[in-house]
Amino acid sequence: MENWDEVRTAFQVARMGTVSGAADVLGVHHATVIRHIDALEGRIGVKLFQRHARGYTATEAGSDLLRVAQATEDQFNQLVARLKGQGDEVAGELVVTSLSSMAPVLVPVMVDFQRMHPGLNVRYLTSGRLLRLEYGEAHVAIRAGRSPDQPDNVVQPFVSQNIALYASESYRDAFGLPESEADFPQHWFVGPEDPDSRAPFYRWLRDAVTPDRISFRVTSEHSAREAVMAGAGIGFIGQSEAKRIPGLIEVMPPREEWTAPLWLVTHVDLHRTNKVQAFLTFLKQRAQEWVC
C-alpha cells in the first residue's frame, strides 16, 4: 500500500490519543505526525479524528482504519517472530514468559542456558497480561491451571507447583499460629482481590474461612508473597519459592487440591526451531531437580 507511513502514523495517534504520544512512539517530530494525518485525510477525503484540547479522538472512519492497521501490524510482528526463530544457531533473542512466582527456579535455568549459548539474548517477562504467542510476543510460555486451548499452540504438561500456607515470624509473634483449621476464625489471611479467583488454593480458602477474615487482598502472587512476608496474614506461597525466603513458617503443608499444574506452551510455527527445542530440552532436564 502506498503511503503506509501515514497510515502507521494515524494508527499510533489513535492508540495514544495525542500527537506528542504518537511522535514519541514513532521517534519523529510532532509536526511530522500532524503533516501525515492532514495528508492522509486529504487523500481519502474523510476526517479520521476529532481534534480537541485533550488530544485526538478517532471518528468512525478512524476506528475502521485502526482495526485494519492493528491487524496489519499484528501480522507483521508474527512474520518477524517466525523469521527470528529460523536458522540453525541457538542465538538471537529468546523470550520466555511465566508467572512471577516461577522466577526463583526459572531464572537460574535461563542464566545457565545463556552461558551455554553466548550469542543468545534472553528476555524474561512476568506480565500479568497473557502474552500472545501467535503474534510473537514470546517463544515459550509456562502457564498454570487448566490446559491452555488457544489455537495453533503446542501444549505439553510440565511439572506441578506445590503450594502451602505460610506465615511470617512477625505474624506469629503478633497473633500466634493456628494448630488446625478449627483455629482459622481467630486468624487473618491474605487472599485474592478477585473473589471468584479460579486458583485451586483460593477456591479452597473461600470454603475454609469467612470473607471478613481475609483482611489483605492482592492481585498477584508477587504481592501475596510480599504481604505474607510483611506479616499481613497467612497466605499461599509456592513451596520452592518459600524455601528461599528466611523467616517464613509453614502453617499447612501442600495439599493435593491446592496443586497447580504447569504447562509448556509454544506456537506451532516456532516449536520446531532449534532455539526453542534446545531450550525446552534443557528446561525439562533441569526441572527434574526442582521441588515445586
Side-chain angles (χ1 to χ4, degrees), residues 29 36 38 61 63 88 95 110 121 146 151 163 192 202 230 257 267:
H29 194 273
H36 282 182
D38 290 344
S63 297
D88 295 331
V95 186
M110 290 185 285
N121 293 317
R146 298 176 183 173
I163 308 293
Y202 283 143
E257 62 263 43
H267 191 264

Side-chain angles (χ1 to χ4, degrees), residues 40-56:
L40 183 59
E41 288 182 333
R43 185 172 296 104
I44 63 179
V46 175
K47 281 290 182 185
L48 299 173
F49 298 97
Q50 296 290 343
R51 281 77 164 168
H52 51 79
R54 296 185 304 277
Y56 281 41

Side-chain angles (χ1 to χ4, degrees), residues 84-242:
K84 283 183 177 180
Q86 293 174 1
D88 295 331
E89 282 191 292
V90 180
E93 188 174 75
L94 176 68
V95 186
V96 180
T97 180
S98 79
L99 296 173
S100 59
S101 60
M102 293 295 298
V105 290
L106 273 180
V107 169
V109 173
M110 290 185 285
V111 170
D112 289 347
F113 185 71
Q114 186 179 43
R115 286 175 179 165
M116 292 170 57
H117 305 284
L120 193 69
N121 293 317
V122 174
R123 293 174 59 209
Y124 179 42
L125 310 179
T126 56
S127 169
R129 181 173 64 86
L130 196 67
L131 298 183
R132 299 182 298 178
L133 304 188
E134 66 271 24
Y135 293 135
E137 292 185 327
H139 296 96
V140 177
I142 301 174
R143 293 179 177 159
R146 298 176 183 173
S147 175
D149 58 0
Q150 290 86 0
D152 298 327
N153 283 346
V154 178
V155 179
Q156 304 174 70
F158 187 32
V159 295
S160 293
Q161 188 176 28
N162 293 325
I163 308 293
L165 263 180
Y166 291 91
S168 68
E169 292 176 349
S170 64
Y171 178 89
R172 177 202 58 194
D173 295 343
F175 303 103
L177 296 175
E179 295 183 5
S180 69
E181 291 180 43
D183 295 333
F184 281 5
Q186 285 74 52
H187 286 273
W188 304 106
F189 291 84
V190 175
E193 172 64 19
D194 179 5
D196 298 318
S197 171
R198 294 185 297 173
F201 42 89
Y202 283 143
R203 291 202 303 266
W204 180 91
L205 187 65
R206 285 199 298 268
D207 295 331
V209 303
T210 55
D212 61 294
R213 303 313 296 180
I214 302 177
S215 59
F216 201 101
R217 294 184 179 272
V218 296
T219 57
S220 71
E221 279 123 347
H222 174 77
S223 299
R225 181 192 67 208
E226 293 296 322
V228 172
M229 290 168 56
I234 300 169
F236 293 97
I237 301 177
Q239 199 173 41
S240 61
E241 184 178 11

